[in-house]
Amino acid sequence: MSRKVLIIGEVRDNSLRNVTFEAISAAKSVSDGGELVGVICGENNLEPLGNEMIQYGADRAIIIQNDKLKAYSSEGYSQAIYQVIDEESPEAIIMGHTAIGKDLTPKLASRLETGLISDAIEIDVVGENVVFTRPIYSGKAFEKKIITDGIIFATIRPNNIPPLERDESRQGTVSNLDVEISDLQTVIKDIIRKTTEGIDLSEAKVVIAGGRGVKNKEGFKPLYELAEVLGGAVGASRGACDADYCDYSLQIGQTGKVVTPDLYIACGISGAIQHLAGMSNSKIIVAINKDPEANIFNVADYGIVGDLFEVVPKLIEEIKQVKV
Ligand code: FAD
């Protein structure tokens, strides 16, 4: 049964976030041969991004350019996207399970009076049903869910569903849609970034995370070096954030970011259950810890018992040699 699927894209710093391409790939499975329609909101200059969605597999793209959509607000974006849904009547909607996705999709789902499956990591089409797999109990178990009535609406966890290969010769229409947006009650004046420039932690393929074992702010330096040679991002445990070794925007875990990189290197992190909730679904976990009894070794694929200040520089040296 083919379905028309709407993919809500996400723009940051004038570029589409990688999870948008993963959402297109997820939408392709859900569509079962139906039409894939991308939608992106912003203030202006969205045409090239609409074309990029097409190159990654969308059949066409709708862009909504409005000065009230310059920065994300649930009020402005939900009004804009709702009008697209009203006009397009999709049978399914897919978006990334990002901070914006987590805020926007429940609001839309409630307005559409439909269910929402959040944080899906796998999609299977079984007969007439689209089955979404999502982690529960902090990643200790998985549940399979279907929506039997109404629009199929889901968010997908970044880094789990590979994007389709980009095809620059792919053609499709990018159309502008004028929408009515009422005066916003919340006006965003400025966005002040706390994270350092570079790879987005929740989308990084490699994450080097530091815990209380890094001892102080300086202790994060070798971790940044390792991240640089591996092309990754730096994260942290709450222990490290609470101790003011780094900013809370780096926190991974139950009350921080959830990451699923190909490689997660935990340095001086004990492996508390709340930390594991944010990283235990990483594809390969390497733990470096002085304490052979540390809980992190129970989830690690590779464990190194040792002082991170000796191990990390050696790793950097070895990796540099392999890369030459
Ligand atoms: P510690 O537990 O102190 O571990 C430090 C580790 O470093 C030890 O295992 C030690 O052996 C090792 N070490 C020390 N020196 C070295 C060295 N030189 N080389 C190698 N290893 C060394 N935590 C999170 O991370 N994320 C969350 O989202 C989160 N949410 C929470 C929510 C709630 C409601 C609560 C109650 C707690 C939450 N926590 C969270 C806190 C969590 O319970 C732990 O306290 C925290 O994860 C511990 O951080 P840590 O592993 O860095 O520190």
Side-chain angles (χ1 to χ4, degrees), residues 74-234:
S74 50
E75 207 189 342
Y77 274 55
S78 61
Q79 288 185 54
I81 303 281
Y82 187 78
Q83 286 169 65
V84 180
I85 296 169
D86 200 34
E87 189 137 313
E88 292 288 331
S89 307
E91 274 113 5
I93 307 171
I94 305 286
M95 186 176 185
H97 193 69
T98 58
I100 291 181
K102 283 185 241 181
D103 185 64
L104 179 65
T105 52
K107 194 163 182 147
L108 288 170
S110 107
R111 192 155 173 203
L112 293 164
E113 296 186 2
T114 187
L116 172 66
I117 296 173
S118 63
D119 204 16
I121 58 166
E122 217 176 275
I123 298 170
D124 295 297
V125 177
V126 183
E128 294 285 283
N129 292 321
V130 183
V131 183
F132 294 88
T133 305
R134 61 188 297 273
I136 51 170
Y137 304 127
S138 300
K140 282 211 168 77
F142 297 90
E143 67 174 358
K144 290 189 182 289
K145 288 213 143 181
I146 55 172
I147 292 181
T148 51
D149 200 16
I151 298 177
I152 296 172
F153 199 175
T155 60
I156 57 150
R157 184 180 286 196
N159 264 344
N160 279 271
I161 297 166
L164 303 168
E165 210 163 298
R166 184 176 192 169
D167 175 359
E168 293 191 14
S169 65
R170 228 178 115 79
Q171 301 285 325
T173 53
V174 177
S175 54
N176 267 288
L177 183 74
D178 281 329
V179 295
E180 291 288 319
I181 301 176
S182 61
D183 282 342
L184 302 179
Q185 292 181 17
T186 313
V187 177
I188 295 167
K189 298 273 190 195
D190 197 9
I191 295 174
I192 300 155
R193 290 200 196 289
K194 280 195 154 181
T195 41
T196 47
E197 297 296 312
I199 301 165
D200 184 303
L201 181 57
S202 51
E203 292 193 343
K205 297 281 176 210
V206 176
V207 172
I208 316 298
R212 223 178 329 239
V214 300
K215 306 277 188 285
N216 49 42
K217 279 186 182 153
E218 279 289 296
F220 264 93
K221 270 196 178 159
L223 275 59
Y224 275 101
E225 258 179 71
L226 182 56
E228 199 180 324
V229 293
L230 288 172
V234 170

Side-chain angles (χ1 to χ4, degrees), residues 212 215 237-238 251-252 254-255 268 270 274-275 289 308:
R212 223 178 329 239
K215 306 277 188 285
S237 71
R238 178 157 148 187
Q251 186 184 320
I252 292 165
Q254 186 183 313
T255 43
S270 59
Q274 296 90 351
H275 185 76
N289 199 302
L308 72 94

Side-chain angles (χ1 to χ4, degrees), residues 11 14-16 40 45-54 63:
V11 182
N14 302 319
S15 304
L16 286 168
I40 30 181
N45 299 326
L46 297 180
E47 285 90 353
L49 305 186
N51 277 319
E52 211 179 338
M53 284 188 97
I54 291 164
I63 53 175

